[in-house]
Amino acid sequence: LLESVVVCEETAVNQYNWAALLSEKAAKSSLTSAEQNDAEFRFENCLLHWNHQKQNDTNRCPMRTQIRNINFNLRTSRQSFPDESKPVSEEGLARAEKAIQYVEQYLLKTCSKRHKVTFDIARSDYCIRKAQMNGSLYTPELKKQYAKEAYLILENALETAKHLKFESEEKGIQNRLQNIDSLFHASKEENHCHSERAREPSRNEAVEHDASSMEDLLKSLVNVAMELNEDHEIKPEIEPSADRVMHEEGGA
């Protein structure tokens, strides 16, 4: 790779620009498998060239590359809230997390304030994507925690963006803050559904309850029938006493 082109800052930047274009496309539409592989290659090749060039010893290009790599794996763009209709795999989340950890360990302390803000946007997207995931591993409470973490990250980034007048970054942050409430609402609704299902009786309990109700109903019907029979029962006439018979005969 290094022998085929001139090893210099410009080559690394060109590789970054190529990867960035594919990253933006991935956030808005689908990539072919060839484009997916090409993007991964460009990100890797960019860092390879940067590490071997001698013209620039800052971390500007590596920082930009890692941030774009996070966006790429999360299928997000820094301008807007992550599109929930764009599926993100567990592998994509793992790759994004790895890039985040690399930045925090090796690049964050010496990066510019603008790159710190754009990194925070990408980091918030990771939390947002976690909050958007489905499956047994992602409970409503856990998703709510991810949404809250994203909100706190964005609030801090917004303060810096406003202070330094980073207009494009501020716009992206505001868009996320406006839409992140939907995640809290979704987790609340999902938690409510879980609670409702938890309160529903099991099938056996329902059968037992129905059987008990039927038994009580039959008993009630029997009691009512007995009461009706008692009300309509023809009681035998009382036989006259001997004194009464003699009195009646004497009178006759």
Side-chain angles (χ1 to χ4, degrees):
L1 293 175
L2 294 176
E3 294 177 356
S4 60
V5 293
V6 177
V7 179
C8 63
E9 178 183 358
E10 184 180 0
T11 301
V13 171
N14 288 339
Q15 293 295 302
Y16 163 79
N17 290 335
W18 196 329
L21 287 173
L22 290 171
S23 177
E24 283 298 310
K25 181 180 179 181
K28 296 174 175 59
S29 61
S30 300
L31 294 182
T32 65
S33 57
E35 289 174 327
Q36 174 74 23
N37 293 334
D38 192 23
E40 293 174 2
F41 168 78
R42 300 299 167 185
F43 280 121
E44 183 179 353
N45 204 25
C46 170
L47 295 175
L48 180 65
H49 277 274
W50 188 267
N51 291 334
H52 285 81
Q53 59 85 30
K54 305 297 183 182
Q55 298 164 299
N56 192 329
D57 61 355
T58 69
N59 67 5
R60 180 175 182 272
C61 191
M63 188 70 178
R64 295 173 71 198
T65 302
Q66 293 292 354
I67 293 171
R68 282 288 186 180
N69 194 22
I70 296 168
N71 294 142
F72 172 69
N73 285 294
L74 297 177
R75 297 299 192 258
T76 61
S77 173
R78 71 181 64 173
Q79 281 79 30
S80 58
F81 185 79
D83 184 357
E84 194 168 0
S85 66
K86 297 287 295 181
V88 178
S89 65
E90 290 289 347
E91 182 182 1
L93 287 172
R95 288 184 176 185
E97 183 180 17
K98 184 178 179 180
I100 290 171
Q101 292 173 348
Y102 182 88
V103 170
E104 291 175 336
Q105 186 173 357
Y106 298 108
L107 303 175
L108 195 58
K109 290 181 180 180
T110 57
C111 74
S112 67
K113 290 184 178 180
R114 182 181 291 275
H115 285 156
K116 172 65 168 61
V117 171
T118 55
F119 172 67
D120 282 342
I121 294 174
R123 192 159 60 99
S124 74
D125 285 347
Y126 172 78
C127 295
I128 291 171
R129 282 303 194 197
K130 282 280 193 176
Q132 291 174 337
M133 294 294 284
N134 296 315
S136 58
L137 294 177
Y138 299 95
T139 63
E141 186 60 33
L142 182 60
K143 292 164 75 170
K144 183 179 179 180
Q145 290 177 9
Y146 280 123
K148 184 177 181 179
E149 184 177 352
Y151 191 89
L152 294 175
I153 292 171
L154 290 168
E155 274 195 326
N156 291 331
L158 180 62
E159 184 177 349
T160 303
K162 283 184 174 181
H163 178 69
L164 298 175
K165 301 186 185 306
F166 297 156
E167 294 183 2
S168 60
E169 286 80 1
E170 181 181 347
K171 184 177 179 180
I173 294 170
Q174 292 283 18
N175 181 266
R176 284 165 172 79
L177 289 173
Q178 290 169 3
N179 286 277
I180 206 167
D181 286 339
S182 63
L183 295 178
F184 288 108
H185 180 72
S187 63
K188 183 178 180 181
E189 288 294 322
E190 190 174 350
N191 200 22
H192 176 71
C193 291
H194 277 275
S195 299
E196 288 296 322
R197 285 195 292 270
R199 285 197 294 267
E200 289 178 359
S202 65
R203 185 176 182 275
N204 290 335
E205 290 174 339
V207 170
E208 291 174 1
H209 177 72
D210 290 343
S212 177
S213 299
M214 184 62 70
E215 185 178 354
D216 292 340
L217 178 60
L218 290 173
K219 286 181 179 180
S220 298
L221 290 174
V222 170
N223 290 334
V224 171
M226 291 177 65
E227 291 174 1
L228 290 174
N229 287 336
E230 290 176 359
D231 291 340
H232 292 84
E233 184 180 357
I234 301 176
K235 297 181 180 180
E237 294 183 1
I238 300 175
E239 294 183 1
S241 63
D243 293 340
R244 181 181 175 187
V245 172
M246 291 177 62
H247 175 74
E248 290 178 352
E249 288 178 352

